[in-house]
Amino acid sequence: MYTASKERYTQMEYKRCGDSGLMFPKVSLGLWHNFGDTANFENMKKLCFTAFDNGITQFDLANNYGPEPGSAEKNFGRILKEDLGVYRDELIITTKAGYDMWEGPYGNWGSRKYLLASLDQSLKRMGLEYVDIFYHHRMDPETPLEETMGALASAVQSGKAIYVGLSNYDGPTLEKAAAILKELHCPFVINQNRYSIFDRTVEKNGLKDMAGKLKKGLITFSPLAQGQLTDRYLHGIPEDSRIRTDGRFLKESTLDEHRLDQIRKLNDLAAQRGEKLADMALGWLLHHDEVTSVLIGASKPQQILDNVKAISCAPFTEEELKLIDKISA
């Protein structure tokens, strides 16, 4: 039987989600990879226990995480039932709906029918009465924003979610959605978006600035660009890398000579700072005032221990920040 470390809250720093009362750990654990039915269950448990023992209280899921879709929630639910559930009130458990989940016209996008049905399914898979945050996973160009936001508000009103969030939105749509949720008195606290040294989409589409303006949190996924911002690819592509074994989210064509040169230059800068590349990449995100937390993935417990060190990353000089921008351009 798992017993959490008594020192768990001394390993982590926490930051408020915008101007809400909710605090996030600066490093959170995502279950996008390595928690599906193709992964080892005992390793999943070790990943969760290592995270919580080091102050990571936020566990991020979605209805379609797997493979197969739903299996990450099912496996995490088993971990909760067998071990972590006694610490439920110390955990922030989140899930999402918005991508293709089941066949037919009602298992995708942002309709009220899809979102509320999906939330019920997610709660059943995890064995929970509520999630702490329910996200709409992506913008829906066809469904009225009022309908989608109304569904999120209903999730809170029904007691099945405490807060709501938006994922993969842009700045203008975030502004409109936030105004609707405010009218509905719905506690919207966090945005979840891809952001890294190599992916500056949130800087270009206005999301980052708007999150700051509206005083909403921002949690970033793929902060290490699917492993590119680590020392894993300094000498090319290892045979056991995700590119070779999976290839769904990081293509071999991405790691051309230009990208490999960028990785090596960033690694050199990190070495000059006395850090590993991954530490610097996570620290770079956390130095932005708008960023509440970085959402890491892991296949081994040691990766979690390594990533937690990012909260102690050295401050950046203006010259270092300019050099990072130049290298990554």
Side-chain angles (χ1 to χ4, degrees):
M1 183 68 181
Y2 165 72
T3 301
S5 165
K6 293 182 179 180
E7 305 298 319
R8 58 190 178 275
Y9 293 115
T10 65
Q11 314 299 319
M12 182 56 61
E13 295 177 6
Y14 299 85
K15 186 174 179 180
R16 197 169 296 280
C17 289
D19 62 358
S20 77
L22 187 63
M23 306 285 281
F24 262 32
K26 287 189 174 181
V27 177
S28 299
L29 183 65
L31 280 65
W32 182 15
H33 301 295
N34 304 311
F35 281 83
D37 284 340
T38 57
N40 179 275
F41 182 72
E42 288 304 312
N43 191 57
M44 296 178 208
K45 290 180 17 177
K46 290 176 183 176
L47 294 172
C48 290
F49 299 163
T50 301
F52 189 50
D53 281 342
N54 286 273
I56 294 178
T57 54
Q58 210 277 112
F59 294 83
D60 182 79
L61 299 104
N63 59 355
N64 62 338
Y65 287 177
E68 296 288 320
S71 60
E73 290 181 327
K74 181 187 69 176
N75 287 322
F76 185 65
R78 182 180 165 190
I79 294 169
L80 286 171
K81 182 178 181 180
E82 295 178 3
D83 292 286
L84 271 182
V86 294
Y87 303 101
R88 175 65 184 96
D89 291 336
E90 297 182 45
L91 305 177
I92 298 291
I93 300 171
T94 70
T95 196
K96 315 176 196 72
Y99 282 94
D100 193 19
M101 186 59 190
W102 62 82
E103 293 183 4
Y106 316 120
N108 202 353
W109 293 105
S111 72
R112 180 179 182 85
K113 179 172 175 59
Y114 168 51
L115 293 183
L116 296 179
S118 179
L119 177 56
D120 283 342
Q121 292 179 21
S122 291
L123 293 174
K124 186 175 181 180
R125 281 190 289 268
M126 291 189 283
L128 294 174
E129 295 181 355
Y130 70 94
V131 290
D132 296 279
I133 300 174
F134 182 47
Y135 289 90
H136 185 222
H137 209 163
R138 61 169 169 171
M139 295 183 291
D140 182 347
E142 302 296 332
T143 302
L145 201 56
E146 289 80 4
E147 177 177 343
T148 302
M149 297 306 107
L152 294 181
S154 291
V156 173
Q157 291 159 2
S158 67
K160 295 174 182 178
I162 297 180
Y163 304 92
V164 303
L166 301 175
S167 183
N168 298 307
Y169 272 55
D170 60 25
T173 313
L174 162 61
E175 186 174 25
K176 295 174 185 175
I180 296 168
L181 291 168
K182 185 176 182 179
E183 284 185 14
L184 295 171
H185 301 287
C186 181
F188 162 45
V189 296
I190 194 86
N191 299 275
Q192 185 173 136
N193 291 74
R194 188 188 305 271
Y195 191 23
S196 73
I197 288 173
F198 284 151
D199 190 333
R200 309 294 187 92
T201 302
V202 296
E203 296 175 2
K204 299 171 183 175
N205 68 12
L207 186 284
K208 180 186 168 192
D209 287 345
M210 187 55 65
K213 177 182 176 182
L214 297 175
K215 296 183 179 178
K216 304 298 180 183
L218 173 58
I219 182 170
T220 65
F221 69 90
S222 294
L224 300 178
Q226 297 292 319
Q228 294 179 73
L229 291 164
T230 69
D231 54 15
R232 190 149 176 73
Y233 298 106
L234 291 174
H235 307 292
I237 303 172
E239 286 304 315
D240 65 345
S241 69
R242 188 181 295 166
I243 291 177
R244 297 271 199 250
T245 59
D246 190 329
R248 287 178 299 161
F249 303 105
L250 180 59
K251 307 296 184 184
E252 188 165 343
S253 58
T254 303
L255 283 166
D256 56 18
E257 278 306 314
H258 175 63
R259 178 50 56 88
L260 291 172
D261 182 59
Q262 290 177 310
I263 293 170
R264 291 175 187 126
K265 287 178 178 176
L266 288 168
N267 187 68
D268 289 344
L269 176 59
Q272 292 170 23
R273 289 167 49 84
E275 298 166 350
K276 288 188 174 182
L277 175 53
D279 295 339
M280 184 181 79
L282 296 175
W284 178 85
L285 284 167
L286 289 170
H287 103 276
H288 294 93
D289 291 338
E290 297 89 348
V291 174
T292 309
S293 181
V294 292
L295 192 56
I296 63 166
S299 59
K300 302 178 182 69
Q302 187 60 46
Q303 291 172 312
I304 296 173
L305 297 174
D306 291 342
N307 289 166
V308 166
K309 296 174 185 175
I311 64 173
S312 303
C313 186
F316 290 87
T317 66
E318 284 300 317
E319 291 75 16
E320 288 172 333
L321 293 172
K322 289 177 182 176
L323 182 56
I324 289 172
D325 288 344
K326 182 179 179 181
I327 292 172
S328 61

